[in-house]
Amino acid sequence: MKAAVIDLGTNTFHLVISTIRAGKVDVIYKTNIPVQLGQGKINEGEIIPEAFERGINALETFRTEIDKHGVDLIKATATAAVRSASNGTDFVREAAEKAGITITVISGEQEAGYIFKGVQATGLIRQKSLIMDIGGGSTEFILCSPEGQFWKKSYPVGAARLLQAYWHSDPVSVADQQAIASLLEKELHELVQKCNFYQPQCLIGSAGAFETYAAMLLPETDLKNIAAAKLDYEAFSDLLTKLIVSNHATREAIPELIPLRVDMIVMASLLCRYILKNTGVKQIALSTYDLKMGILYQLAAEEL
């Protein structure tokens, strides 16, 4: 079977086309488009017209590529930006009408479940671990071990939400850093409690911002062709601090930072710093597999 998976993220739309045989997934094509669906009004629960149009155009582009590959099955999932938008159903309807793509809007819990399946497929989960996936609209956390998941939850503290609410100065001010920390303390209270109970040893970052961190920390590694990588804890922690205190021009000059992430990486770094400080993890790893690969491995399991 040839399957196409589309992940409609708040910042980026992703397309992965794979062949699935005997429970194995073989990626044959992948691409992404920085749609920024959450631009402007994600905290007000609205997809603005410009973002709406970019999203539909991206799906039409994906449809052309899907048709070229003779795909048997299309699985398109929408996450925080669509599920929290008052006009999200309009977007889903127009995607079907104009691009011929049926979108399933998934819950935060379903999103976390797929992320777990993707990370699990890398073989990284060898001890008690905390998986973290930083999106634009939400951030997912999964506590797990080699035996499976203990607990998972999605929180509305994505990097785009934080940027729109707290980006008042460059570099981000100490006052805004403290305001974000207070918000995270309130929102992530249960997560910290669960980590105190389960005591994960390793933080596994799922794709996205963590791929950017890995590109800066492991410049000799071809991240496009690996499923996982270990990151040095101290180097990772130092990098977070450098990014948080840096200004836009400094970040813009970093080759590994794509334009979409130049400012958003600061919010991701504040999130990561909070997690390091409050969970006690002392090991860091990257999984390049995330929700998209989780869906593909779920499809592979269903085919068996």
Side-chain angles (χ1 to χ4, degrees):
M1 175 176 70
K2 196 175 282 188
V5 169
I6 300 171
D7 171 12
L8 289 81
T10 299
N11 293 322
T12 308
F13 284 11
H14 297 266
L15 168 66
V16 179
I17 299 174
S18 297
T19 301
I20 297 174
R21 289 193 191 92
K24 293 185 178 180
V25 174
D26 181 25
V27 174
I28 56 177
Y29 178 85
K30 60 182 175 180
T31 190
N32 64 75
I33 299 175
V35 170
Q36 290 185 271
L37 200 65
Q39 181 186 21
K41 290 192 174 181
I42 188 170
N43 290 326
E44 286 77 50
E46 181 184 343
I47 302 170
I48 63 172
E50 302 95 307
F52 196 107
E53 184 179 1
R54 287 195 302 269
I56 298 301
N57 290 342
L59 292 175
E60 289 176 330
T61 299
F62 285 174
R63 182 76 216 204
T64 300
E65 200 61 49
I66 287 166
D67 291 342
K68 280 184 196 173
H69 283 84
V71 164
D72 303 301
L73 174 68
I74 302 172
K75 181 95 171 174
T77 57
T79 53
V82 176
R83 69 174 172 249
S84 65
S86 58
N87 55 344
T89 53
D90 297 332
F91 185 85
V92 170
R93 184 181 64 252
E94 197 157 321
E97 291 173 356
K98 292 192 172 180
I101 291 173
T102 300
I103 296 169
T104 301
V105 182
I106 61 173
S107 68
E109 186 167 307
Q110 288 172 308
E111 188 176 356
Y114 283 131
I115 291 164
F116 171 74
K117 286 185 181 296
V119 174
Q120 188 181 43
T122 68
L124 261 179
I125 307 170
R126 296 171 188 159
Q127 58 194 317
K128 285 185 182 177
S129 300
L130 173 64
I131 298 170
M132 180 179 186
D133 188 296
I134 304 171
S138 64
T139 297
E140 283 67 48
F141 295 95
I142 304 101
L143 281 160
C144 57
S145 75
E147 287 71 48
Q149 311 168 61
F150 308 134
W151 176 88
K152 60 180 181 287
K153 192 164 183 176
S154 175
Y155 291 93
V157 289
R161 285 192 195 278
L162 295 176
L163 191 72
Q164 286 180 30
Y166 295 98
W167 192 255
H168 301 129
S169 63
D170 178 44
V172 62
S173 69
V174 173
D176 283 335
Q177 290 183 46
Q178 290 172 342
I180 291 169
S182 295
L183 172 73
L184 296 180
E185 187 174 352
K186 178 183 175 183
E187 290 282 347
L188 304 182
H189 178 70
E190 184 185 9
L191 169 68
V192 173
Q193 282 188 325
K194 294 292 184 182
C195 288
N196 286 339
F197 180 77
Y198 288 111
Q199 297 190 333
Q201 299 154 289
C202 183
L203 174 66
I204 302 174
S206 170
F210 285 93
E211 286 184 333
T212 300
Y213 296 135
M216 288 187 262
L217 293 170
L218 305 170
E220 304 303 316
T221 303
D222 182 5
L223 297 175
K224 291 181 180 179
N225 291 304
I226 62 168
K230 296 285 182 69
L231 304 178
D232 180 79
Y233 181 93
E234 295 299 332
F236 179 75
S237 182
D238 289 346
L239 177 60
L240 296 181
T241 300
K242 288 176 185 175
L243 290 168
I244 289 166
V245 301
S246 67
N247 61 28
H248 181 91
T250 300
R251 294 188 303 276
E252 198 172 34
I254 300 172
E256 296 84 5
L257 269 176
I258 60 173
L260 178 68
R261 290 211 178 104
V262 169
D263 293 331
M264 225 167 287
I265 199 70
V266 177
M267 299 296 127
S269 298
L270 287 165
L271 270 164
C272 289
R273 184 172 72 176
Y274 182 86
I275 294 304
L276 294 190
K277 182 180 176 183
N278 290 279
T279 64
V281 295
K282 291 299 177 188
Q283 299 173 41
I284 311 289
L286 161 72
S287 165
T288 63
Y289 289 7
D290 55 3
L291 180 144
K292 305 179 291 294
M293 294 303 290
I295 292 172
L296 284 167
Y297 276 95
Q298 176 67 40
L299 291 173
E302 291 170 358
E303 195 191 45
L304 288 173

PDB file of all heavy atoms in Angstrom, residues 55-76:
ATOM      1  N   GLY A  55      -3.173  28.044   3.525  1.00  0.00           N
ATOM      2  CA  GLY A  55      -3.415  26.650   3.876  1.00  0.00           C
ATOM      3  C   GLY A  55      -4.059  25.871   2.744  1.00  0.00           C
ATOM      4  O   GLY A  55      -3.635  24.743   2.423  1.00  0.00           O
ATOM      5  N   ILE A  56      -5.074  26.445   2.128  1.00  0.00           N
ATOM      6  CA  ILE A  56      -5.750  25.771   1.010  1.00  0.00           C
ATOM      7  C   ILE A  56      -4.801  25.613  -0.176  1.00  0.00           C
ATOM      8  O   ILE A  56      -4.737  24.548  -0.812  1.00  0.00           O
ATOM      9  CB  ILE A  56      -7.020  26.537   0.588  1.00  0.00           C
ATOM     10  CG1 ILE A  56      -8.038  26.586   1.752  1.00  0.00           C
ATOM     11  CG2 ILE A  56      -7.638  25.898  -0.654  1.00  0.00           C
ATOM     12  CD1 ILE A  56      -8.487  25.235   2.255  1.00  0.00           C
ATOM     13  N   ASN A  57      -4.012  26.649  -0.467  1.00  0.00           N
ATOM     14  CA  ASN A  57      -3.032  26.567  -1.560  1.00  0.00           C
ATOM     15  C   ASN A  57      -2.015  25.453  -1.307  1.00  0.00           C
ATOM     16  O   ASN A  57      -1.622  24.719  -2.231  1.00  0.00           O
ATOM     17  CB  ASN A  57      -2.303  27.897  -1.734  1.00  0.00           C
ATOM     18  CG  ASN A  57      -3.194  28.986  -2.302  1.00  0.00           C
ATOM     19  OD1 ASN A  57      -4.252  28.692  -2.867  1.00  0.00           O
ATOM     20  ND2 ASN A  57      -2.792  30.239  -2.162  1.00  0.00           N
ATOM     21  N   ALA A  58      -1.572  25.332  -0.044  1.00  0.00           N
ATOM     22  CA  ALA A  58      -0.605  24.281   0.301  1.00  0.00           C
ATOM     23  C   ALA A  58      -1.204  22.898   0.074  1.00  0.00           C
ATOM     24  O   ALA A  58      -0.540  21.995  -0.458  1.00  0.00           O
ATOM     25  CB  ALA A  58      -0.174  24.437   1.762  1.00  0.00           C
ATOM     26  N   LEU A  59      -2.466  22.729   0.453  1.00  0.00           N
ATOM     27  CA  LEU A  59      -3.118  21.429   0.265  1.00  0.00           C
ATOM     28  C   LEU A  59      -3.318  21.120  -1.210  1.00  0.00           C
ATOM     29  O   LEU A  59      -3.200  19.951  -1.626  1.00  0.00           O
ATOM     30  CB  LEU A  59      -4.457  21.408   1.009  1.00  0.00           C
ATOM     31  CG  LEU A  59      -4.342  21.431   2.539  1.00  0.00           C
ATOM     32  CD1 LEU A  59      -5.725  21.530   3.176  1.00  0.00           C
ATOM     33  CD2 LEU A  59      -3.605  20.203   3.065  1.00  0.00           C
ATOM     34  N   GLU A  60      -3.581  22.121  -2.018  1.00  0.00           N
ATOM     35  CA  GLU A  60      -3.692  21.901  -3.468  1.00  0.00           C
ATOM     36  C   GLU A  60      -2.350  21.471  -4.045  1.00  0.00           C
ATOM     37  O   GLU A  60      -2.285  20.583  -4.913  1.00  0.00           O
ATOM     38  CB  GLU A  60      -4.203  23.171  -4.146  1.00  0.00           C
ATOM     39  CG  GLU A  60      -5.668  23.470  -3.848  1.00  0.00           C
ATOM     40  CD  GLU A  60      -6.141  24.786  -4.445  1.00  0.00           C
ATOM     41  OE1 GLU A  60      -5.320  25.717  -4.588  1.00  0.00           O
ATOM     42  OE2 GLU A  60      -7.339  24.877  -4.760  1.00  0.00           O
ATOM     43  N   THR A  61      -1.266  22.074  -3.537  1.00  0.00           N
ATOM     44  CA  THR A  61       0.085  21.669  -3.956  1.00  0.00           C
ATOM     45  C   THR A  61       0.355  20.228  -3.555  1.00  0.00           C
ATOM     46  O   THR A  61       0.899  19.433  -4.343  1.00  0.00           O
ATOM     47  CB  THR A  61       1.136  22.599  -3.321  1.00  0.00           C
ATOM     48  OG1 THR A  61       0.903  23.939  -3.751  1.00  0.00           O
ATOM     49  CG2 THR A  61       2.554  22.183  -3.706  1.00  0.00           C
ATOM     50  N   PHE A  62      -0.010  19.877  -2.329  1.00  0.00           N
ATOM     51  CA  PHE A  62       0.170  18.505  -1.858  1.00  0.00           C
ATOM     52  C   PHE A  62      -0.633  17.531  -2.717  1.00  0.00           C
ATOM     53  O   PHE A  62      -0.162  16.431  -3.038  1.00  0.00           O
ATOM     54  CB  PHE A  62      -0.279  18.376  -0.393  1.00  0.00           C
ATOM     55  CG  PHE A  62       0.676  18.964   0.620  1.00  0.00           C
ATOM     56  CD1 PHE A  62       0.326  19.010   1.963  1.00  0.00           C
ATOM     57  CD2 PHE A  62       1.917  19.471   0.246  1.00  0.00           C
ATOM     58  CE1 PHE A  62       1.197  19.540   2.916  1.00  0.00           C
ATOM     59  CE2 PHE A  62       2.791  20.001   1.182  1.00  0.00           C
ATOM     60  CZ  PHE A  62       2.431  20.046   2.525  1.00  0.00           C
ATOM     61  N   ARG A  63      -1.840  17.915  -3.074  1.00  0.00           N
ATOM     62  CA  ARG A  63      -2.703  17.024  -3.865  1.00  0.00           C
ATOM     63  C   ARG A  63      -2.062  16.694  -5.199  1.00  0.00           C
ATOM     64  O   ARG A  63      -2.117  15.531  -5.662  1.00  0.00           O
ATOM     65  CB  ARG A  63      -4.068  17.698  -4.087  1.00  0.00           C
ATOM     66  CG  ARG A  63      -5.046  16.824  -4.864  1.00  0.00           C
ATOM     67  CD  ARG A  63      -5.595  15.731  -3.969  1.00  0.00           C
ATOM     68  NE  ARG A  63      -5.796  14.495  -4.692  1.00  0.00           N
ATOM     69  CZ  ARG A  63      -6.653  13.551  -4.316  1.00  0.00           C
ATOM     70  NH1 ARG A  63      -7.380  13.717  -3.224  1.00  0.00           N
ATOM     71  NH2 ARG A  63      -6.769  12.440  -4.997  1.00  0.00           N
ATOM     72  N   THR A  64      -1.445  17.686  -5.815  1.00  0.00           N
ATOM     73  CA  THR A  64      -0.749  17.455  -7.094  1.00  0.00           C
ATOM     74  C   THR A  64       0.355  16.414  -6.920  1.00  0.00           C
ATOM     75  O   THR A  64       0.508  15.499  -7.739  1.00  0.00           O
ATOM     76  CB  THR A  64      -0.150  18.778  -7.621  1.00  0.00           C
ATOM     77  OG1 THR A  64      -1.207  19.717  -7.829  1.00  0.00           O
ATOM     78  CG2 THR A  64       0.594  18.558  -8.928  1.00  0.00           C
ATOM     79  N   GLU A  65       1.117  16.529  -5.835  1.00  0.00           N
ATOM     80  CA  GLU A  65       2.221  15.582  -5.572  1.00  0.00           C
ATOM     81  C   GLU A  65       1.666  14.199  -5.257  1.00  0.00           C
ATOM     82  O   GLU A  65       2.222  13.178  -5.718  1.00  0.00           O
ATOM     83  CB  GLU A  65       3.059  16.105  -4.407  1.00  0.00           C
ATOM     84  CG  GLU A  65       4.456  15.529  -4.334  1.00  0.00           C
ATOM     85  CD  GLU A  65       5.299  15.839  -5.562  1.00  0.00           C
ATOM     86  OE1 GLU A  65       5.354  16.996  -5.985  1.00  0.00           O
ATOM     87  OE2 GLU A  65       5.896  14.880  -6.104  1.00  0.00           O
ATOM     88  N   ILE A  66       0.605  14.136  -4.498  1.00  0.00           N
ATOM     89  CA  ILE A  66      -0.022  12.852  -4.152  1.00  0.00           C
ATOM     90  C   ILE A  66      -0.487  12.129  -5.402  1.00  0.00           C
ATOM     91  O   ILE A  66      -0.280  10.917  -5.564  1.00  0.00           O
ATOM     92  CB  ILE A  66      -1.197  13.090  -3.170  1.00  0.00           C
ATOM     93  CG1 ILE A  66      -0.661  13.459  -1.780  1.00  0.00           C
ATOM     94  CG2 ILE A  66      -2.096  11.860  -3.071  1.00  0.00           C
ATOM     95  CD1 ILE A  66      -1.711  14.025  -0.840  1.00  0.00           C
ATOM     96  N   ASP A  67      -1.109  12.872  -6.318  1.00  0.00           N
ATOM     97  CA  ASP A  67      -1.595  12.267  -7.560  1.00  0.00           C
ATOM     98  C   ASP A  67      -0.450  11.742  -8.421  1.00  0.00           C
ATOM     99  O   ASP A  67      -0.565  10.698  -9.069  1.00  0.00           O
ATOM    100  CB  ASP A  67      -2.429  13.279  -8.347  1.00  0.00           C
ATOM    101  CG  ASP A  67      -3.757  13.606  -7.664  1.00  0.00           C
ATOM    102  OD1 ASP A  67      -4.179  12.821  -6.780  1.00  0.00           O
ATOM    103  OD2 ASP A  67      -4.366  14.634  -8.010  1.00  0.00           O
ATOM    104  N   LYS A  68       0.676  12.449  -8.393  1.00  0.00           N
ATOM    105  CA  LYS A  68       1.860  11.999  -9.148  1.00  0.00           C
ATOM    106  C   LYS A  68       2.331  10.637  -8.666  1.00  0.00           C
ATOM    107  O   LYS A  68       2.832   9.819  -9.436  1.00  0.00           O
ATOM    108  CB  LYS A  68       3.013  12.992  -8.963  1.00  0.00           C
ATOM    109  CG  LYS A  68       2.952  14.232  -9.804  1.00  0.00           C
ATOM    110  CD  LYS A  68       4.239  15.031  -9.538  1.00  0.00           C
ATOM    111  CE  LYS A  68       4.114  16.454 -10.029  1.00  0.00           C
ATOM    112  NZ  LYS A  68       5.300  17.248  -9.615  1.00  0.00           N
ATOM    113  N   HIS A  69       2.219  10.390  -7.368  1.00  0.00           N
ATOM    114  CA  HIS A  69       2.744   9.166  -6.765  1.00  0.00           C
ATOM    115  C   HIS A  69       1.743   8.010  -6.769  1.00  0.00           C
ATOM    116  O   HIS A  69       2.080   6.907  -6.307  1.00  0.00           O
ATOM    117  CB  HIS A  69       3.211   9.434  -5.327  1.00  0.00           C
ATOM    118  CG  HIS A  69       4.534  10.125  -5.255  1.00  0.00           C
ATOM    119  ND1 HIS A  69       4.673  11.492  -5.348  1.00  0.00           N
ATOM    120  CD2 HIS A  69       5.801   9.636  -5.083  1.00  0.00           C
ATOM    121  CE1 HIS A  69       5.950  11.811  -5.245  1.00  0.00           C
ATOM    122  NE2 HIS A  69       6.650  10.713  -5.082  1.00  0.00           N
ATOM    123  N   GLY A  70       0.551   8.229  -7.245  1.00  0.00           N
ATOM    124  CA  GLY A  70      -0.424   7.133  -7.295  1.00  0.00           C
ATOM    125  C   GLY A  70      -0.730   6.550  -5.925  1.00  0.00           C
ATOM    126  O   GLY A  70      -0.687   5.334  -5.720  1.00  0.00           O
ATOM    127  N   VAL A  71      -1.061   7.422  -4.988  1.00  0.00           N
ATOM    128  CA  VAL A  71      -1.296   7.017  -3.602  1.00  0.00           C
ATOM    129  C   VAL A  71      -2.624   6.267  -3.450  1.00  0.00           C
ATOM    130  O   VAL A  71      -3.618   6.603  -4.081  1.00  0.00           O
ATOM    131  CB  VAL A  71      -1.271   8.277  -2.699  1.00  0.00           C
ATOM    132  CG1 VAL A  71      -1.869   8.010  -1.346  1.00  0.00           C
ATOM    133  CG2 VAL A  71       0.162   8.789  -2.563  1.00  0.00           C
ATOM    134  N   ASP A  72      -2.627   5.232  -2.598  1.00  0.00           N
ATOM    135  CA  ASP A  72      -3.838   4.443  -2.337  1.00  0.00           C
ATOM    136  C   ASP A  72      -4.680   5.034  -1.216  1.00  0.00           C
ATOM    137  O   ASP A  72      -5.899   4.881  -1.195  1.00  0.00           O
ATOM    138  CB  ASP A  72      -3.455   3.000  -1.948  1.00  0.00           C
ATOM    139  CG  ASP A  72      -2.608   2.330  -3.011  1.00  0.00           C
ATOM    140  OD1 ASP A  72      -3.090   2.220  -4.151  1.00  0.00           O
ATOM    141  OD2 ASP A  72      -1.475   1.925  -2.694  1.00  0.00           O
ATOM    142  N   LEU A  73      -4.016   5.677  -0.242  1.00  0.00           N
ATOM    143  CA  LEU A  73      -4.715   6.163   0.950  1.00  0.00           C
ATOM    144  C   LEU A  73      -4.142   7.505   1.371  1.00  0.00           C
ATOM    145  O   LEU A  73      -2.925   7.669   1.430  1.00  0.00           O
ATOM    146  CB  LEU A  73      -4.555   5.155   2.095  1.00  0.00           C
ATOM    147  CG  LEU A  73      -5.100   5.554   3.468  1.00  0.00           C
ATOM    148  CD1 LEU A  73      -6.621   5.634   3.437  1.00  0.00           C
ATOM    149  CD2 LEU A  73      -4.645   4.573   4.541  1.00  0.00           C
ATOM    150  N   ILE A  74      -5.029   8.460   1.655  1.00  0.00           N
ATOM    151  CA  ILE A  74      -4.615   9.765   2.175  1.00  0.00           C
ATOM    152  C   ILE A  74      -5.161   9.909   3.588  1.00  0.00           C
ATOM    153  O   ILE A  74      -6.352   9.729   3.831  1.00  0.00           O
ATOM    154  CB  ILE A  74      -5.148  10.930   1.318  1.00  0.00           C
ATOM    155  CG1 ILE A  74      -4.676  10.800  -0.132  1.00  0.00           C
ATOM    156  CG2 ILE A  74      -4.708  12.269   1.911  1.00  0.00           C
ATOM    157  CD1 ILE A  74      -5.330  11.806  -1.070  1.00  0.00           C
ATOM    158  N   LYS A  75      -4.275  10.227   4.515  1.00  0.00           N
ATOM    159  CA  LYS A  75      -4.678  10.467   5.902  1.00  0.00           C
ATOM    160  C   LYS A  75      -4.216  11.868   6.267  1.00  0.00           C
ATOM    161  O   LYS A  75      -3.018  12.127   6.412  1.00  0.00           O
ATOM    162  CB  LYS A  75      -4.027   9.429   6.813  1.00  0.00           C
ATOM    163  CG  LYS A  75      -4.391   9.562   8.274  1.00  0.00           C
ATOM    164  CD  LYS A  75      -5.525   8.673   8.662  1.00  0.00           C
ATOM    165  CE  LYS A  75      -5.725   8.657  10.165  1.00  0.00           C
ATOM    166  NZ  LYS A  75      -6.907   7.926  10.575  1.00  0.00           N
ATOM    167  N   ALA A  76      -5.169  12.789   6.376  1.00  0.00           N
ATOM    168  CA  ALA A  76      -4.847  14.179   6.711  1.00  0.00           C
ATOM    169  C   ALA A  76      -5.405  14.512   8.084  1.00  0.00           C
ATOM    170  O   ALA A  76      -6.597  14.318   8.341  1.00  0.00           O
ATOM    171  CB  ALA A  76      -5.434  15.116   5.663  1.00  0.00           C
TER     172      ALA A  76
END
